[in-house]
Amino acid sequence: MFDPVILRKDFPIFEREINGKRLIYLDNAATTQKPKQVIDAIKNYYEKYNANVHRGVYRLSIESTELYENARKIVAEFIGAKDWREVIFTRNTTESINLVAYAYGLHNLKQGDKIVLTEMEHHSNIVPWQNIASLKKAKIYYIPVTDNGYLETDLIDKYLKDASIFAFTHASNVLGTINPVNELVKTAKEYGVITLIDGAQAIPHLPVNVSSIDADFYAFSGHKMLGPLGIGVLYANRMLLEEMGPFLCGGEMIREVSLENSSWNEVPWKFEAGTPSVADAVGLSEAIKYLTRIGIDNIKRHELKLIEYSLQSLIKIPRLKVIGPMEPNDRTGLLSFILADIHPHDLAEFLDNKYGIAVRAGHHCAMPIHTKYGLAATIRASFYIYNTIEEIDILGNALREALRVFKAE
Amino acid sequence: MSSPELDEILDHYRNPRNYGEIENPDIHMRDSNPLCGDIIEIFIKVKDGVISDVKFKGRGCAISQASASKLTEKLIGMKIEDAKNLSRQDILDMLGIELSPVRLKCALLSLKVLKTGLYTYLGQKLERDEAEG
């Protein structure tokens, strides 16, 4: 097991102060901080290897291409893909989902086809489908979520039996709920439904093996797992990728171009138009090495400890209401809550100003689930490897102080 | 952290003045601030170029709601022409606390709704006058 206090030393950002206080960073579900190993890998790339990939015949370009393609192999191994060709680099989870919606959905969905989502989706797994549904006159259905924050799994068969696409989150960015992905994919396959999993909140926190889950598509972001901003991944079943047409078009994704038409490059480059973010792919591969050294199982255990403690201690604060499952084992390391009638934005600003605590306030790009619970906004504290029990205690004290300052006792 | 200005904002947040709706308003406008999810809806009655009644509805952070509540108090009895000239500084002076750039949007939402409403009203009035004239 690792010591979060020692790990913190790898993260230069924790040397800075916020309003004279040590930074307590609890917005990891939005993006994580970066260790110096990742920052150095990016710097090193630009200082020693920078060149465009796949085209040059000179040394720098060959080495740059090797680093980029090696990063792809490191990602493939980390997520348990059988073949590195099943790993497509994108900018982020949103772009990965849009790739599926447009390159697959737009070309395969017909009028009246059924797209199934869930009520706990992030906007990035709702809006692209709404757009495709309106273009193709397809219909969207949402599997409901219970008051305790679980998916209504009893209704799965009813929703999936005549569906075309089922897109759902592995772990909710608001409720923290970990969905039973194996079971969901299995049921979808029985009905011949194409599956897409939004893994943005799962990959950084839980052991994930995309081959054993066996979804057709699995999307995630690099920046939520210690990697740089601007690099994301779409894992996809190779058979589907071979059949699919491109998403973005331009350089790199073509084989031959004439003035009349073009033929596509091989998978995965068919889906990577334009110059890719090589340095960020290298940074992501370094982040994966870092996470692997610590061990994803240990990360899960550490977060479980933090969430167990939060559920026990923060819940004792008067007028604090938590949403999502109360069973720590069913959730990732994040906690969304409201405190009395203090608006989350007012509370978040108070926590930042007075305590240097960074938390998220708002609907966290998931308005439908907030609407369902009758909330306009919540505060979300989300943990990662460098957070400690002591920080949760500071948060707890700050929340009690907020009750006094906002006259909400 | 505590100050009379802040206490006043919290008071307006918890006990908003002129809260509610007006039937058949002359001006009715609603807008939201996607950052905080603040919503403000304003209803105005106009008589002889003067604002005779104002109500607002909304939800959101203390700053957005207190700003709307305080603004309605200011508006009753004000000439349309003067309301049109209200500036962001007027709103900031009215609130009287330091605001970070992100919170300015919260504070100024009610002014934005008011101005959009006023200009829509004046535009429609102009069209009516022209049609009649």
Side-chain angles (χ1 to χ4, degrees):
Chain A
M1 199 61 193
F2 58 87
D3 181 348
V5 178
I6 292 172
L7 284 189
R8 292 178 82 89
K9 298 196 172 84
D10 287 334
F11 293 77
I13 205 157
F14 291 122
E15 286 160 23
R16 77 164 282 190
E17 291 189 338
I18 303 292
N19 299 320
K21 295 274 188 304
R22 187 173 71 82
L23 166 64
I24 297 182
Y25 186 76
L26 301 178
D27 195 17
N28 293 288
T31 196
T32 59
Q33 297 303 342
K34 321 303 173 197
K36 63 177 184 292
Q37 289 86 341
V38 169
I39 298 167
D40 288 348
I42 296 167
K43 184 166 175 277
N44 190 46
Y45 170 81
Y46 281 121
E47 287 178 354
K48 298 202 178 106
Y49 299 98
N50 180 54
N52 211 329
V53 288
H54 294 138
R55 285 289 173 272
V57 288
Y58 50 92
R59 174 63 59 109
L60 274 187
S61 175
I62 294 165
E63 288 180 357
S64 181
T65 304
E66 274 174 10
L67 283 169
Y68 183 62
E69 292 305 328
N70 191 43
R72 192 191 308 278
K73 288 178 183 135
I74 289 170
V75 171
E77 196 191 334
F78 180 66
I79 62 173
K82 291 196 185 97
D83 185 341
W84 56 265
R85 287 179 188 79
E86 296 181 320
V87 171
I88 299 164
F89 282 124
T90 61
R91 278 191 306 138
N92 45 40
T93 309
T94 299
E95 188 174 292
S96 297
I97 295 172
N98 273 274
L99 193 161
V100 179
Y102 285 86
Y104 182 84
L106 193 59
H107 297 286
N108 289 282
L109 287 170
K110 297 181 300 293
Q111 182 168 356
D113 278 357
K114 193 168 159 187
I115 300 167
V116 178
L117 311 174
T118 83
E119 282 183 342
M120 64 167 87
E121 297 311 308
H122 186 281
H123 294 164
S124 62
N125 200 23
I126 297 177
V127 186
W129 298 113
Q130 287 177 335
N131 214 15
I132 296 296
S134 97
L135 288 168
K136 304 300 290 190
K137 299 194 169 58
K139 289 188 181 131
I140 299 182
Y141 297 85
Y142 296 91
I143 299 175
V145 173
T146 67
D147 290 345
N148 306 326
Y150 293 95
L151 215 52
E152 294 256 21
T153 39
D154 294 350
L155 301 174
I156 298 298
D157 285 272
K158 180 176 157 255
Y159 276 86
L160 293 185
K161 65 176 191 293
D162 51 358
S164 297
I165 291 179
F166 179 28
F168 60 98
T169 191
H170 192 157
S172 160
N173 73 314
V174 175
L175 306 168
T177 318
I178 301 169
N179 284 319
V181 285
N182 289 307
E183 183 189 310
L184 294 171
V185 171
K186 190 165 165 278
T187 310
K189 290 212 171 244
E190 281 165 16
Y191 294 113
V193 181
I194 295 288
T195 46
L196 161 72
I197 299 178
D198 169 357
Q201 300 295 342
I203 288 269
H205 310 287
L206 323 165
V208 173
N209 184 306
V210 292
S211 299
S212 72
I213 294 172
D214 204 20
D216 296 300
F217 301 100
Y218 193 103
F220 61 97
S221 296
H223 70 95
K224 294 186 200 288
M225 51 190 286
L226 308 183
L229 296 162
I231 188 90
V233 171
L234 176 67
Y235 157 86
N237 171 322
R238 175 137 184 231
M239 295 297 284
L240 274 171
L241 289 180
E242 295 293 348
E243 287 166 19
M244 281 159 59
F247 171 41
L248 302 174
C249 298
E252 179 69 42
M253 50 73 70
I254 40 79
R255 177 170 295 137
E256 282 178 53
V257 176
S258 71
L259 291 180
E260 290 73 35
N261 52 46
S262 305
S263 57
W264 314 133
N265 199 343
E266 288 168 31
V267 168
W269 305 291
K270 176 164 79 176
F271 299 99
E272 294 182 356
T275 299
S277 190
V278 183
D280 295 327
V282 172
L284 174 58
S285 67
E286 199 60 38
I288 289 175
K289 289 179 198 164
Y290 190 98
L291 294 173
T292 310
R293 268 201 305 279
I294 304 173
I296 289 284
D297 287 307
N298 289 331
I299 294 174
K300 184 168 191 283
R301 212 172 302 148
H302 173 68
E303 286 186 36
L304 182 62
K305 198 174 76 185
L306 296 178
I307 200 74
E308 267 173 349
Y309 185 76
S310 306
L311 283 172
Q312 285 162 15
S313 69
L314 298 180
I315 217 138
K316 290 185 192 132
I317 297 171
R319 305 186 70 194
L320 184 138
K321 185 172 169 281
V322 168
I323 57 171
M326 292 310 288
E327 167 52 50
N329 281 295
D330 294 345
R331 60 191 302 161
T332 56
L334 67 85
L335 195 72
S336 298
F337 58 90
I338 49 168
L339 184 65
D341 66 342
I342 307 173
H343 191 281
H345 281 88
D346 298 327
L347 184 53
E349 191 176 40
F350 169 82
L351 293 173
D352 181 56
N353 281 344
K354 215 160 167 218
Y355 292 88
I357 300 174
V359 291
R360 202 75 170 169
H363 48 59
H364 324 303
C365 288
M367 281 176 85
I369 192 70
H370 280 84
T371 307
K372 181 184 173 95
Y373 289 133
L375 301 166
T378 52
I379 288 271
R380 181 184 69 193
S382 53
F383 311 125
Y384 210 36
I385 52 175
Y386 32 67
N387 294 122
T388 61
I389 296 278
E390 184 208 348
E391 289 178 324
I392 297 169
D393 282 337
I394 297 173
L395 173 66
N397 290 338
L399 293 173
R400 287 174 196 276
E401 174 68 13
L403 283 174
R404 283 189 287 278
V405 170
F406 286 91
K407 303 189 183 355
E409 281 169 294
Chain B
M1 185 78 193
S2 198
S3 70
E5 290 82 7
L6 193 66
D7 286 351
E8 205 180 325
I9 285 172
L10 287 172
D11 179 42
H12 275 265
Y13 174 53
R14 296 231 164 75
N15 312 296
R17 321 295 198 267
N18 301 310
Y19 196 87
E21 292 181 28
I22 295 176
E23 262 183 59
N24 304 316
D26 296 303
I27 299 173
H28 177 204
M29 193 50 65
R30 178 185 189 275
D31 203 351
S32 61
N33 165 12
L35 175 80
C36 294
D38 301 330
I39 296 172
I40 297 288
E41 190 172 4
I42 291 185
F43 305 82
I44 296 177
K45 268 285 190 207
V46 183
K47 204 174 171 188
D48 304 327
V50 173
I51 294 175
S52 60
D53 195 12
V54 189
K55 290 261 192 292
F56 89 99
K57 276 174 70 176
R59 58 162 204 264
C61 66
I63 292 169
S64 71
Q65 302 304 304
S67 157
S69 170
K70 296 190 88 171
L71 181 62
T72 59
E73 288 188 320
K74 214 177 163 79
L75 285 173
I76 294 174
M78 191 182 268
K79 281 187 199 145
I80 290 277
E81 283 307 308
D82 295 337
K84 224 176 75 186
N85 292 330
L86 283 171
S87 69
R88 66 188 252 152
Q89 196 54 49
D90 291 330
I91 302 294
L92 298 182
D93 292 346
M94 179 182 86
L95 291 171
I97 57 163
E98 284 284 320
L99 289 171
S100 66
V102 256
R103 304 310 295 274
L104 275 177
K105 277 206 169 100
C106 311
L108 297 173
L109 177 62
S110 53
L111 182 67
K112 185 180 166 209
V113 176
L114 171 70
K115 293 230 170 164
T116 318
L118 286 174
Y119 281 103
T120 309
Y121 169 77
L122 291 171
Q124 284 164 351
K125 191 168 173 290
L126 200 65
E127 277 175 25
R128 268 199 311 275
D129 293 350
E130 276 172 5
E132 285 164 10

